[in-house]
Amino acid sequence: MGLVLLVVAIGASGWLFRVVPTGFLPSEDQGMFFTEVRLPEGASYNRTDAALRQVETFLSSTEGVQDVTSVTGYSFLDGLSKSNSAFAPQCRGSCQAP
């Protein structure tokens, strides 16, 4: 019985290797890059928002960038912080980080 289960497990593993995509990132996550804007500790929301708008304008005008999504108040590096902003530009075709 154990040998039969082992053969079934090996066969199922082989089948999964053929069915599951081999890329590390799923296709819906490709074509994006993330950047972070860090202001000094204690920077006001208005100052952070102004810096955020400048970076959004710059990224939106970059060739190949289709969309820019921004989140104020979240840091990928250290969790929540008012002085950080995260960007996720969506590239059309291929684009390089500025």
Side-chain angles (χ1 to χ4, degrees):
M1 183 66 161
L3 189 57
V4 171
L5 290 175
L6 180 62
V7 170
V8 168
I10 291 172
S13 296
W15 177 76
L16 282 174
F17 277 114
R18 289 184 177 190
V19 175
V20 176
T22 57
F24 180 70
L25 297 174
S27 60
E28 62 268 10
D29 288 343
Q30 296 180 11
M32 295 181 71
F33 65 92
F34 294 88
T35 186
E36 183 168 295
V37 174
R38 296 184 63 98
L39 273 62
E41 187 71 31
S44 70
Y45 180 83
N46 291 337
R47 182 178 174 192
T48 303
D49 191 53
L52 178 74
R53 300 296 164 230
Q54 286 181 332
V55 175
E56 281 180 347
T57 302
F58 176 77
L59 290 175
S60 295
S61 65
T62 302
E63 185 178 340
V65 173
Q66 182 178 349
D67 296 309
V68 176
T69 302
S70 59
V71 179
T72 303
Y74 182 80
S75 170
F76 291 106
L77 299 177
D78 62 0
L80 294 176
S81 174
K82 183 173 70 174
S83 62
N84 297 315
S85 301
F87 295 91
Q90 185 75 26
C91 297
R92 177 178 51 243
S94 65
C95 63
Q96 296 178 353

